[in-house]
Amino acid sequence: MPSFSANIAFLFADRPFLDRIDAAKAAGFDKVECHFPYEFPIPVLRERLARAGVAMTGLNTAPGDVARGEWGLAGMPGREADFAVHWSDALAYAQALGTGKIHVMAGVVAPEARAAALDTYVANIRRAAREAAAAGVTILLEPLNVRDKPDYLVSRSDEIADLIARVGEANVKLLFDVYHVQIMEGDLIRRLERHRDVIGHVQIAAVPSRHEPDEGEVAYRAIFDALEAIGYHEPIGLEYRPRGRTEDGLGWMRALGVA
Ligand SMILES: O=C(O)C(=O)[C@H](O)CO
Ligand SMILES: [Mg+2]
């Protein structure tokens, strides 16, 4: 039976961020993941998680200046110093909160600048991975679909798998977000099988709506079976935008036989 972590960037989003931790627990989740926790001091987060009895299993490096179109800095030539600050903040939060996975955000890059950006990305990830390893943390690299994030540096799982080989550090893994992979590449079950050794986390949502995973073009019951078959037993991240109140939409779990 698969287990799940509630991504509180999207789930329970009708209430303040810290209250989403309690809402997740009340709905039956003892693991949450998030995008950007940095506006909250570590002691506050730690206290809220402990009080709720919830573990924070994943977080992202900061996005940078979102208003200017930034979405991560790891693959931005000339921004290495800013990335280093984002990275050390992420690692500090992860270590203090006992979070084992950090998604390192790559960045939005014009097509003609991609080759140099990929060199920067690989170098930054390699340096970060060595520090992460000493802290027992896994780095996740996630391809984002170009419909939602045009010009994001990495948009395909196959390319990420090649980049992971290029980085050459064992604690750098693929974040296989089924929503993005379906939009860009499809052939989901074969791709899960092919990338099984480098998959470090999985997230799900319906395609194309990004709502609860009980509608649209992906047969999630078959995906759960495929994950079981490849030996993926970590919590699956619920990173969908609920159709209404999160609690009212959780019936999909029973419908798909995972509750
Ligand atoms: O958008 C996603 O799918 C994510 O998982 C990121 O963390 C943010 O882009
Ligand atoms: Mg995702």
Side-chain angles (χ1 to χ4, degrees):
M1 175 87 90
S3 67
F4 299 96
S5 61
N7 191 309
I8 55 170
F10 284 8
L11 266 51
F12 308 105
D14 54 347
R15 60 213 90 186
F17 182 81
L18 293 172
D19 295 346
R20 298 176 200 172
I21 295 169
D22 304 309
K25 180 69 176 187
F29 298 100
D30 57 12
K31 295 185 175 60
V32 298
E33 56 188 54
C34 71
H35 289 175
F36 314 117
Y38 304 106
E39 67 185 278
F40 303 99
I42 286 171
V44 172
L45 283 165
R46 200 163 37 196
E47 198 270 322
R48 291 298 295 255
L49 289 162
R51 182 157 30 113
V54 168
M56 177 80 79
T57 54
L59 52 83
N60 294 0
T61 53
D65 189 342
V66 177
R68 285 182 44 224
E70 291 181 347
W71 202 238
L73 300 181
M76 304 281 280
R79 302 292 298 281
E80 288 83 350
D82 294 327
F83 172 71
V85 173
H86 285 183
W87 167 251
S88 64
D89 285 348
L91 190 57
Y93 271 70
Q95 285 186 282
L97 300 177
T99 301
K101 297 177 183 181
I102 298 175
H103 166 205
V104 174
M105 309 264 295
V108 173
V109 173
E112 62 277 11
R114 280 193 83 248
L118 287 172
D119 289 345
T120 301
Y121 184 58
V122 167
N124 277 330
I125 299 290
R126 189 177 291 135
R127 211 171 306 115
R130 290 176 183 163
E131 281 181 47
V137 166
T138 297
I139 287 184
L140 300 174
L141 308 182
E142 179 182 33
L144 302 184
N145 80 77
V146 297
R147 187 161 66 212
D148 293 352
K149 263 305 158 205
D151 288 339
Y152 194 67
L153 180 62
V154 279
S155 55
R156 294 175 177 275
S157 64
D158 291 358
E159 183 183 22
I160 295 264
D162 291 344
L163 288 164
I164 288 171
R166 213 173 128 190
V167 170
E169 299 291 334
N171 62 328
V172 179
K173 301 281 189 186
L174 167 65
L175 196 177
F176 194 109
D177 185 329
V178 176
Y179 166 78
H180 294 294
V181 178
Q182 167 64 6
I183 292 170
M184 295 304 293
E185 301 168 287
D187 199 20
L188 292 168
I189 292 177
R190 292 286 171 267
R191 229 172 275 283
L192 285 168
E193 290 166 353
R194 193 156 71 247
H195 296 317
R196 65 196 298 163
D197 293 340
V198 292
I199 292 175
H201 188 43
V202 173
Q203 293 173 331
I204 62 169
V207 181
S209 66
R210 214 174 191 181
H211 288 322
E212 283 84 348
D214 57 1
E215 62 173 61
E217 67 199 48
V218 177
Y220 271 105
R221 188 56 261 179
I223 297 296
F224 297 144
D225 291 345
L227 287 168
E228 173 71 26
I230 66 167
Y232 181 87
H233 299 303
E234 309 255 335
I236 296 168
L238 303 181
E239 195 184 38
Y240 59 78
R241 296 186 191 280
R243 290 182 285 258
R245 271 186 89 240
T246 302
E247 291 89 336
D248 295 342
L250 290 174
W252 68 266
M253 300 181 89
R254 196 167 300 280
L256 293 186
V258 292

